[in-house]
């Protein structure tokens, strides 16, 4: 078979796979990287023949069996695939397979060629009938493969680029272009469906919305790496506002949607809650992720990743994890933190945070523990102190106590610790901490300065001033990206 015949046969084969809506054949037939068995022979053939043999006009002449409304987009898609295999430079500039002749230029041109393939694929993916229903849902697996492949090439190209930020080939421009292409794919996948469309498609092998979670996970990772929290929040809102609802889609199509993708999307939403200091939202999504994560060794790493974020969130909500969980998932770093929090040991809390700082920071939980944790340790110290005060004299009035008992407990807690408060803490410092706890509704009551007392919300056991932390409604914090 001659080189021209080989390329022509490939072109016709891809078009036939597309025309018959065969997702599996389409994926296996398109060589996107050198490891594909078709890639080497096709590249050699494409470099041997004249470019006119792969022009749009030539390709179009071979696709007479394709529908008129689809043909032009399919021609452009196949042309982009052939250019990607050949190694042509997409935009102006010299070079062949490796672009400008250096590693950075070659990486950029590899990226830009696949970017063009993704853009042309999106045009086909977005095609719909007159009633708005998408006609190429079978492209779902290919769209996800292209998105993940584009991320890999863009990461390499961006890491090698040394151009200034505003340059079209800078690292930022490369990453922005990648994000926008995948966002377009996700926009198509998350399109609302009418009840009629849903009922028609629910029994089909492919529905455009089946890849929502896979594409969302790619985007969540991109946003997390670039700290684009506003975009992450908008993506979470998009998933929340799906029509039909996310739960209905999973219930009806769950057998066709990878459980790991759903689990990961819950995990990313939980992680976003951690970043935005929304502990209740984080707990909701991390609990959901843990609930659908595979059990035992199959999902051990995934469950551990979820628990590493969930345990600090629970700790800040006053919920202590069982010790066996820490042992089973090798998370001994949390043991001293849990002990310090439960006992009100402020020096131990600080030392542990400092000692495990890098480990916790790499997992994006150090900052929330540092900013939100210590005030809860103070609260636990005061709560334990109040219980001891009641136990020491059963006749004392409930729901009120002198502030000196907290001062005495804090002085003992810091004694010999080497902390700044060791030997220097005053009653005024305690009043400041109590005021902060009252302001955050972590203590329900008020300070009586004249009597130097804490007056708390009435309850039969005298502990009404210390509600369960999980029931305390925090003040709303608006995060700015």
């Amino acid at each position: 078979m001659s080189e021209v015949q080989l390329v022509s046969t490939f072109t016709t084969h891809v078009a036939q796979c597309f025309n018959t809506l065969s997702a599996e054949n389409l994926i296996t037939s398109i060589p996107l990287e050198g490891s594909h068995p078709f890639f080497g022979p096709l590249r050699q053939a494409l470099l041997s023949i004249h470019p006119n043999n792969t022009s749009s006009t030539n390709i179009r002449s071979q696709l007479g069996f394709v529908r008129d409304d689809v043909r032009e987009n399919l021609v452009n898609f196949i042309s982009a695939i052939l250019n990607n295999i050949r190694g042509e430079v997409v935009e102006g500039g010299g070079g062949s397979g490796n672009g400008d002749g250096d590693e950075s230029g070659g990486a950029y041109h590899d990226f830009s060629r696949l970017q063009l393939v993704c853009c042309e694929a999106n045009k086909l993916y977005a095609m719909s009938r007159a009633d708005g229903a998408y006609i190429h849902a079978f492209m779902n697996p290919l769209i996800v493969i292209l998105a993940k492949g584009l991320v890999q090439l863009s990461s390499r190209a961006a890491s090698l680029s040394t151009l200034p930020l505003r340059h079209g080939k800078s690292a930022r421009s490369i990453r922005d272009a990648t994000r926008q292409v995948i966002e377009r794919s996700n926009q198509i996948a998350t399109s609302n469906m009418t009840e009629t469309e849903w009922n028609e498609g629910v029994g089909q092998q492919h529905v455009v919305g089946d890849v929502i979670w896979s594409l969302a996970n790619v985007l969540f990772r991109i946003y997390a790496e670039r700290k684009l929290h506003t975009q992450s929040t908008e993506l979470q809102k998009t998933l929340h506002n799906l029509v039909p609802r996310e739960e209905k889609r999973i219930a009806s199509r769950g057998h066709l949607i990878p459980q790991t993708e759903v689990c990961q999307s819950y995990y990313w939403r939980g992680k976003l809650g951690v970043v935005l200091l929304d502990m209740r939202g984080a707990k909701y999504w991390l609990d959901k992720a843990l609930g659908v994560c595979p059990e035992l060794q199959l999902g051990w790493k995934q469950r551990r990743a979820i628990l590493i974020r969930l345990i600090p969130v629970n700790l800040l909500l006053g919920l202590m994890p069982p010790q066996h969980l820490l042992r089973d998932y090798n998370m001994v770093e949390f043991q001293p933190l849990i002990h310090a929090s439960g006992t009100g040991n402020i020096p131990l809390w600080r030392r542990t945070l400092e000692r495990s700082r890098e480990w916790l920071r790499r997992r994006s939980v150090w900052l929330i523990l540092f900013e939100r944790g210590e005030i809860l340790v103070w609260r636990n110290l005061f709560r334990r102190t109040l219980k001891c005060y009641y136990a020491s004299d059963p006749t004392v009035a409930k729901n009120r106590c002198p502030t000196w008992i907290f001062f005495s407990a804090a002085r003992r807690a810091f004694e010999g610790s080497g902390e700044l408060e060791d030997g220097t803490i005053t009653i005024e410092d305690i009043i400041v901490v109590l005021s902060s706890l009252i302001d955050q509704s972590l203590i329900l009551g008020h300070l009586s300065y004249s009597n130097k007392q804490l007056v708390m919300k009435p309850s039969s056991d005298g502990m009404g001033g210390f509600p369960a932390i999980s029931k305390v409604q925090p003040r709303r914090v608006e995060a700015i990206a």
Side-chain angles (χ1 to χ4, degrees):
M1 183 182 295
S2 69
E3 286 83 358
V4 174
Q5 288 176 322
L6 177 61
V7 174
S8 178
T9 300
F10 170 76
T11 299
T12 305
H13 176 67
V14 170
Q16 286 174 340
C17 291
F18 198 92
N19 210 40
T20 57
L21 311 182
S22 177
E24 185 176 350
N25 288 337
L26 188 65
I27 292 171
T28 56
S29 299
I30 297 178
L32 297 175
E33 52 187 24
S35 60
H36 194 286
F38 294 176
F39 193 93
L42 277 170
R43 168 167 278 193
Q44 186 176 358
L46 287 165
L47 292 173
S48 301
I49 63 178
H50 194 278
N52 287 343
N53 290 306
T54 56
S55 66
S56 296
T57 302
N58 188 281
I59 295 172
R60 189 179 297 106
S61 67
Q62 301 176 56
L63 305 188
F65 57 90
V66 177
R67 283 170 40 184
D68 292 343
D69 57 333
V70 176
R71 186 181 302 125
E72 195 61 34
N73 284 337
L74 185 56
V75 166
N76 293 334
F77 177 59
I78 294 175
S79 177
I81 292 171
L82 293 175
N83 289 339
N84 184 54
I85 297 169
R86 180 188 289 115
E88 288 184 348
V89 177
V90 174
E91 53 184 298
S96 55
N98 289 328
D100 298 328
D102 59 19
E103 189 177 11
S104 175
Y108 176 79
H109 291 308
D110 288 343
F111 157 73
S112 72
R113 287 193 299 271
L114 187 60
Q115 180 196 8
L116 181 59
V117 173
C118 293
C119 289
E120 297 300 337
N122 274 342
K123 291 177 184 177
L124 285 165
Y125 194 46
M127 295 186 70
S128 60
R129 301 194 308 247
D131 60 2
Y134 292 107
I135 60 176
H136 295 145
F138 77 97
M139 292 181 68
N140 279 345
L142 179 62
I143 292 295
V144 174
I145 290 171
L146 288 172
K148 293 179 178 179
L150 188 64
V151 168
Q152 290 180 350
L153 290 184
S154 72
S155 296
R156 181 170 179 269
S159 67
L160 293 172
S161 177
T162 57
L163 295 169
L165 290 178
R166 293 185 181 276
H167 195 283
K169 298 181 183 179
S170 69
R172 185 176 71 177
S173 297
I174 292 169
R175 293 189 178 105
D176 281 344
T178 303
R179 172 176 59 83
Q180 289 162 6
V181 170
I182 301 172
E183 283 175 341
R184 175 54 181 153
S185 300
N186 191 61
Q187 183 183 23
I188 299 166
T190 55
S191 298
N192 291 340
M193 300 176 69
T194 64
E195 191 69 24
T196 302
E197 290 171 355
W198 175 252
N199 291 334
E200 286 180 0
V202 72
Q204 302 297 318
Q205 183 180 1
H206 298 287
V207 172
V208 164
D210 290 348
V211 292
I212 288 172
W213 298 271
S214 299
L215 292 174
N217 290 334
V218 176
L219 287 172
F220 273 131
R221 185 177 295 278
I222 291 173
Y223 297 152
E225 289 175 352
R226 300 184 64 189
K227 295 180 171 57
L228 302 176
H229 305 317
T230 299
Q231 285 85 342
S232 290
T233 302
E234 289 302 314
L235 178 54
Q236 179 170 314
K237 289 179 181 177
T238 298
L239 295 175
H240 178 73
N241 295 326
L242 286 173
V243 177
R245 304 285 293 180
E246 182 178 12
E247 296 78 8
K248 182 176 180 178
R249 291 172 183 256
I250 294 173
S252 299
R253 308 280 299 173
H255 61 291
L256 298 171
I257 301 168
Q259 189 180 32
T260 53
E261 296 288 0
V262 176
C263 174
Q264 194 176 35
S265 86
Y266 291 162
Y267 164 78
W268 281 116
R269 284 176 266 185
K271 191 174 180 181
L272 177 63
V274 173
V275 172
L276 300 183
L277 304 181
D278 176 14
M279 296 302 114
R280 284 165 177 76
K283 176 175 171 54
Y284 173 80
W285 288 113
L286 291 171
D287 278 339
K288 288 196 72 168
L290 198 63
V292 299
C293 188
E295 295 281 355
L296 304 176
Q297 292 301 316
L298 184 63
W300 188 88
K301 287 185 178 180
Q302 293 91 329
R303 294 177 72 83
R304 184 174 186 270
I306 296 166
L307 287 167
I308 284 174
R309 279 80 188 176
L310 183 57
I311 287 174
V313 168
N314 281 338
L315 201 58
L316 297 179
L317 292 174
L319 305 171
M320 301 296 177
Q323 288 296 315
H324 72 84
L325 204 62
L326 304 181
R327 293 193 301 270
D328 292 347
Y329 290 94
N330 190 25
M331 296 182 291
V332 294
E333 289 82 0
F334 287 120
Q335 286 181 335
L337 283 175
I338 293 167
H339 175 71
S341 178
T343 59
N345 191 331
I346 302 160
L348 176 59
W349 176 269
R350 292 177 180 174
R351 288 197 304 271
T352 304
L353 273 185
E354 185 58 34
R355 184 173 63 249
S356 303
R357 180 173 183 154
E358 286 307 311
W359 188 87
L360 294 168
R361 283 186 67 178
R362 287 197 301 270
R363 290 152 181 83
S364 305
V365 294
W366 180 84
L367 188 59
I368 62 166
L369 291 170
F370 178 78
E371 290 189 343
R372 294 290 185 92
E374 184 170 319
I375 192 66
L376 299 179
V377 183
W378 278 98
R379 180 188 185 275
N380 288 341
L381 173 64
F382 292 166
R383 188 174 185 275
R384 287 169 63 90
T385 301
L386 181 61
K387 283 188 172 182
C388 292
Y389 173 68
Y390 288 154
S392 65
D393 185 359
T395 64
V396 298
K398 296 292 191 292
N399 305 310
R400 64 175 58 225
C401 66
T403 53
W404 66 259
I405 66 170
F406 303 128
F407 168 62
S408 177
R411 187 170 58 184
R412 287 195 304 272
F414 284 105
E415 189 174 3
S417 66
E419 295 288 334
L420 181 64
E421 295 88 347
D422 186 4
T424 63
I425 195 166
T426 64
I427 188 67
E428 286 75 18
D429 297 324
I430 299 303
I431 296 300
V432 169
V433 176
L434 285 169
S435 299
S436 177
L437 288 166
I438 292 170
D439 183 55
Q440 298 178 58
S441 299
L442 292 168
I443 291 180
L444 302 181
H446 66 273
L447 287 166
S448 173
Y449 291 100
S450 58
N451 296 321
K452 298 181 180 179
Q453 285 190 329
L454 172 65
V455 181
M456 294 167 286
K457 179 182 178 181
S459 69
S460 59
D461 62 355
M463 300 301 294
F466 289 82
I469 296 175
S470 58
K471 296 180 180 179
V472 175
Q473 292 298 322
R475 289 171 298 185
R476 185 173 180 82
V477 178
E478 294 291 345
I480 301 176

